[in-house]
Amino acid sequence: MINREWHLLSRPVGRPKPEDFALVETEAPTPGEGQVLVRNAYLSVDPYMRGRMSAAKSYAEPYRLGVAMLGGAVGEVIASNADGIAVGDHVLHHLGWREYAAVDAARAVKVDPEAAPLSAYLGVLGMTGLTAYTGLLRTASFKEGDAVFVSGAAGAVGSQVGQLARLKGASRVIGSAGTDEKVRLLVEEYGFDAAFNYRNGPVAEQLRTAAPDGIDVYFDNVGGEHLEAAIGALNLRGRIAICGMISVYNNTEPAPGPRNLARLIQTRGRIEGFLVGDHYDLQPQFVREVGPWVAAGRLKYRETVVQGIENNLEAFLGVLRGDNTGKMIVKL
């Protein structure tokens, strides 16, 4: 069988360009001892992948040049050399950006396509959902009555943060997004109390209008101007959870830091970065609590689905541009 997979050819400088990548045809792998062969059905593209395209030291190993890139994927097992996973099972794994993958069974998680659509295990019930849950509840120490501000609020993580805060008893939930259509989605479908288009004016001014009594929690997916505005709006003992800073991922020079960090002294505020990989101990609790909300329609989600492995790169570039509403998924 022919297997198509995406390779990184050169490390991007600034915004990634198509010539930095190649879609390569190879022979589908044969599973070794303790492995399963998976025909991928859905692939995930996420902002963190931009960091792995750089050779700079970070929390995740850089992508190697000239070999298939990595990412979340879910698919059907079509051959098995492992106990506990049979042909016909569906599994979640991290050998994405390709059509077929030989996966170590120990690193594959069986999922039930009857309980939820397969694509949901890459988003609302997968890593992005757990990111929202752990960042809000553990890192930001959310408590009932908090006013919560979320940037990138129409994205896969941000949209869940806002809804989780609402379901957990937030006094007010505010979101920012990059289009008026996304702003309407936040308020009309996801139940945010207020939302604004950050392209329509200074973030600090729009946040002041949306949250006149300030905020207790800021969940940051964007960085830059948003982070500075949130520090300015922070209430006494407010908390900021840094999940991502997509506004600076393509910068070739270090971005200037917030100019108002001294305000943290006045507010006794706290800023903390986090990685979902440090919090997988919360996954059983996350599934028990959030799964029923999703099944009952109390926690809503959107997916932007791009068809075909040949469009995997364009889907990723679209995430960096903010083209997606909710989770960006590639369907094979």
Side-chain angles (χ1 to χ4, degrees), residues 30-36 80-83 103-105:
T30 300
E33 189 66 29
Q35 291 187 325
V36 295
S80 176
N81 279 334
D83 294 332
V103 181
D104 292 340

Side-chain angles (χ1 to χ4, degrees), residues 132 134-143 146-153 157-158 161-162 165 172-177 192 196 198 203-204 207 211 214-235 237-247 258 260-261 263-264 269-274:
T134 59
L136 178 68
L137 301 183
R138 176 173 281 175
T139 306
S141 304
F142 171 85
K143 60 183 185 297
D146 280 343
V148 177
F149 172 45
V150 188
S151 59
V157 174
V161 172
R172 189 165 179 79
V173 179
I174 305 102
S176 71
F192 283 59
F196 59 86
Y198 65 84
V203 174
L207 178 57
I215 59 173
D216 303 295
V217 169
Y218 172 48
F219 193 105
D220 191 14
N221 292 304
V222 174
E225 183 186 0
H226 279 79
L227 178 56
E228 186 170 293
I231 292 171
L234 210 60
N235 289 331
R237 304 199 187 284
R239 290 88 64 205
I240 295 176
I242 305 292
C243 177
M245 292 193 172
I246 197 169
S247 69
N260 56 348
L261 282 174
R263 193 167 187 280
L264 295 175
R270 171 168 61 85
I271 300 179
E272 183 177 348
F274 75 98

